Amino acid sequence: MKAFSYERAATPEAAAAARARTPDARFIAGGTNLLDLMKLQVETPAHLIDINGLGLDRIEPTEGGGLRIGALVRNTDLAADARVRRDYGVLSRALLAGASGQLRNKATTAGNLLQRTRCPYFYDTALPCNKREPGSGCGALQGYSRQLAVVGGSEHCIATHPGDMSVALRVLDATVETVQAGGGRRTIPIADFHRLPGNTPERDTVLAPAELITSVTLPAPVGGTHVYRKVRDRASYAFALVSVAAIVQPDGTGHVAFGGVAPKPWRMEAAEAELPNGPYAVTERLFADADPRPDNAFKLPLAQRTLAAALADAKEMQP
């Protein structure tokens, strides 16, 4: 790990301003992803800005009947919150499917949103990776791609977003609230928050370099049966090959988002109209533009079967 300087921010605005003053800086809270990247020298920030003291660790009701989740709420606390378990069960289930208990105790809401891909070419600094080093090439395109994207990628990158929480937030239509270096604030729909790689795969999100997440807001509950189903190589502490977050209403309509298949949580509202016609009708439309590699083509039938299993789970859970 390379040497770095360190400071504690007093306010969200001060944290964003500090990041703007030092372009090669990073925010740090739980550090469950960033510290690993620093040890491998995938990330080599010259300065760390500790945001743990900003008071962004509360879950509060909104005027619209939803919940505002502070950026520093730990994953364990969010999954265990009675309101989340009752009204947003898909989020609680997704959080509990991720990482380990020890990591969930440290990982934060904002950090979970911002975690970097686990593509092996990104993590190995001896291999080409446009996300880590723009212009160096994408070793995965002609290399080992079993864990990687089957849809939404580009000729520059086929890495997947690794999170579980983000998939649940996508199906819940959450919004991300931020503060910028000049004190300005904005609200970003979760659908627009993560980027597809295109020609600039080094940019995972639409955040500006000095923009700090302050909270994530959930809309008023929509009811229905909430399901999160994750398929992975081992039963715990593993990233998804395919995951499904689903909210199913008694009449068979609902919302569906996939993880493990794309550079961002993958949802297409138009495909959800096919839910009453069954899972295969949904996935046929959702993955119409898929471009799988020989190593990961299995993800397409796996996605169909995982959605079918999730819908069967929802049917069993309905009263």
Side-chain angles (χ1 to χ4, degrees):
M1 186 182 291
K2 293 188 176 182
F4 56 88
S5 55
Y6 171 88
E7 70 173 287
R8 290 189 178 98
T11 66
E13 293 78 9
R19 178 78 182 269
R21 289 194 303 270
T22 313
D24 192 17
R26 298 289 187 275
F27 301 123
I28 187 167
T32 56
N33 188 200
L34 178 60
L35 292 178
D36 284 344
L37 294 172
M38 290 173 66
K39 291 173 184 176
L40 295 170
Q41 297 191 17
V42 174
E43 295 263 10
T44 55
H47 186 64
L48 292 184
I49 303 161
D50 189 332
I51 60 173
N52 281 296
L54 301 186
L56 304 174
D57 57 355
R58 292 183 290 274
I59 304 172
E60 302 170 317
T62 66
E63 291 183 359
L67 287 180
R68 178 169 287 107
I69 304 161
L72 298 175
V73 172
R74 308 292 161 166
N75 287 177
T76 294
D77 296 329
L78 182 57
D81 185 89
R83 296 162 293 185
V84 173
R85 293 176 62 191
R86 182 187 66 229
D87 297 327
Y88 307 97
V90 65
L91 176 56
S92 182
R93 292 183 174 95
L95 286 163
L96 293 173
S100 65
Q102 295 92 330
L103 287 172
R104 291 194 297 269
N105 288 342
K106 291 292 292 181
T108 63
T109 298
N112 198 320
L113 277 174
L114 296 173
Q115 62 180 304
R116 307 300 305 274
T117 184
R118 269 40 177 215
C119 174
Y121 294 88
F122 175 73
Y123 266 74
D124 190 336
T125 57
L127 299 175
C129 173
N130 288 319
K131 186 176 285 292
R132 186 188 67 248
E133 186 179 349
S136 64
C138 175
L141 288 173
Q142 302 300 324
Y144 182 69
S145 58
R146 184 172 185 273
Q147 288 278 355
L148 304 181
V150 294
V151 67
S154 75
E155 62 182 350
H156 299 283
C157 181
I158 55 170
T160 51
H161 174 72
D164 294 290
M165 184 189 78
S166 296
V167 184
L169 292 178
R170 179 68 180 90
V171 85
L172 288 166
D173 289 317
T175 55
V176 181
E177 298 173 357
T178 70
V179 63
Q180 298 171 311
R185 296 177 180 271
R186 67 169 173 157
T187 298
I188 307 166
I190 192 68
D192 301 329
F193 182 77
H194 293 101
R195 297 179 67 254
L196 296 179
N199 296 327
T200 53
E202 69 275 14
R203 294 187 58 207
D204 294 340
T205 73
V206 298
L207 293 179
E211 194 168 7
L212 175 71
I213 296 173
T214 55
S215 62
V216 172
T217 299
L218 302 177
V222 297
T225 302
H226 291 222
V227 177
Y228 189 78
R229 181 172 270 262
K230 181 177 181 178
V231 180
R232 45 191 161 175
D233 283 328
R234 56 180 184 268
S236 66
Y237 197 46
F239 296 99
L241 292 169
V242 171
S243 64
V244 174
I247 301 174
V248 184
Q249 301 298 338
D251 64 359
T253 62
H255 305 304
V256 174
F258 282 83
V261 297
K264 61 186 290 184
W266 198 248
R267 179 183 174 194
M268 188 183 296
E269 282 81 346
E272 294 172 348
E274 300 289 345
L275 265 175
N277 298 322
Y280 302 107
V282 176
T283 54
E284 183 177 5
R285 188 162 185 181
L286 194 65
F287 294 103
D289 295 326
D291 183 23
R293 309 286 154 175
D295 289 338
N296 64 13
F298 73 93
K299 286 192 176 188
L300 295 176
L302 181 61
Q304 293 177 339
R305 294 165 188 163
T306 305
L307 178 57
L311 296 178
D313 289 345
K315 188 174 182 179
E316 286 188 7
M317 293 166 62
Q318 288 173 351

